[in-house]
Amino acid sequence: AGGVGAGAATGAAAAGAALGALGIKAIQAGSDVEEMMGKFTTVFGTYANQVAGELNTLADTVGRNTYELRGFAATFQDTFVPLGFARGEAANLSTQLTQLTIDLASFNNVAEPQVLADLQSAIVGNHETMRKYGVIITETTLNQKLLAMGIAGGTQAATEQEKVMARLAIITAGTTDAQ
């Protein structure tokens, strides 16, 4: 009979440890959401409520977690603003790229955080990350897009924002099937 009691005690201890670990994970998840919301509010500034509304609608439409989408958008916003984009323009681009992240991930069966990292990398000039999605950005295609945008002199004459807009135009055109 002593063995049964010891087994029950061991089982209860294991269950208690599992519940404790679950509690720690729940606290960490809550902390992560709080930190992300702080970042979201900071990087979007006066546009935070507008973007949150758009992302809530998107989350309902595509069946995704609102907080995850806000995290994606905040990451993009935190890329565009330091590149010199005005917060409002960056907010629009961030929302669009959050949608594109979901579309590309679904279409290519790739995890959304990986797609986000690939898009962010391509925005700042690492074009190779987009090849796995069927988007080829070379110096030639970038110069052609800049010329089509009315920017003579190509990448040598273009501002960082103009190069980003050219990259985004190429990415958008190259991912129409996924969209």
Side-chain angles (χ1 to χ4, degrees), residues 101-157:
T101 296
I102 294 163
D103 291 343
L104 282 175
S106 176
F107 189 76
N108 292 286
N109 197 27
V110 176
E112 291 167 354
Q114 180 61 54
V115 175
L116 179 140
D118 291 341
L119 285 169
Q120 185 182 35
S121 186
I123 289 166
V124 297
N126 182 4
H127 305 144
E128 193 164 319
T129 64
M130 294 309 299
R131 289 185 182 173
K132 66 180 103 174
Y133 306 106
V135 178
I136 309 301
I137 304 173
T138 63
E139 189 74 16
T140 301
T141 59
L142 192 57
N143 281 323
Q144 289 171 341
K145 180 52 73 178
L146 287 164
L147 186 58
M149 293 168 55
I151 300 159
T155 58
Q156 299 300 319

Side-chain angles (χ1 to χ4, degrees), residues 28 47 49 57 61 90 100 109 113 121 131 154 156 159 168 171:
Q28 181 63 45
Y47 296 93
N49 287 337
T57 301
T61 302
L100 184 57
N109 197 27
S121 186
R131 289 185 182 173
Q156 299 300 319
T159 66
L168 289 174
I171 290 168

Side-chain angles (χ1 to χ4, degrees), residues 7-112:
T10 303
L19 283 174
L22 182 60
I24 290 169
K25 286 182 181 180
I27 290 168
Q28 181 63 45
S31 177
D32 290 348
V33 167
E34 188 174 320
E35 287 177 17
M36 181 281 304
M37 288 303 294
K39 178 180 178 179
F40 182 87
T41 302
T42 300
V43 298
F44 283 104
T46 59
Y47 296 93
N49 287 337
Q50 171 192 332
V51 173
E54 292 173 18
L55 293 174
N56 288 343
T57 301
L58 176 60
D60 288 343
T61 302
V62 297
R64 295 292 192 281
N65 181 300
T66 299
Y67 296 106
E68 184 178 40
L69 297 185
R70 287 182 187 187
F72 293 169
T75 298
F76 285 126
Q77 183 79 353
D78 204 21
T79 303
F80 287 123
V81 172
L83 285 169
F85 285 85
R87 238 172 253 285
E89 183 179 11
N92 289 332
L93 293 170
S94 296
T95 303
Q96 291 170 14
L97 283 180
T98 297
Q99 172 70 58
L100 184 57
T101 296
I102 294 163
D103 291 343
L104 282 175
S106 176
F107 189 76
N108 292 286
N109 197 27
V110 176
E112 291 167 354

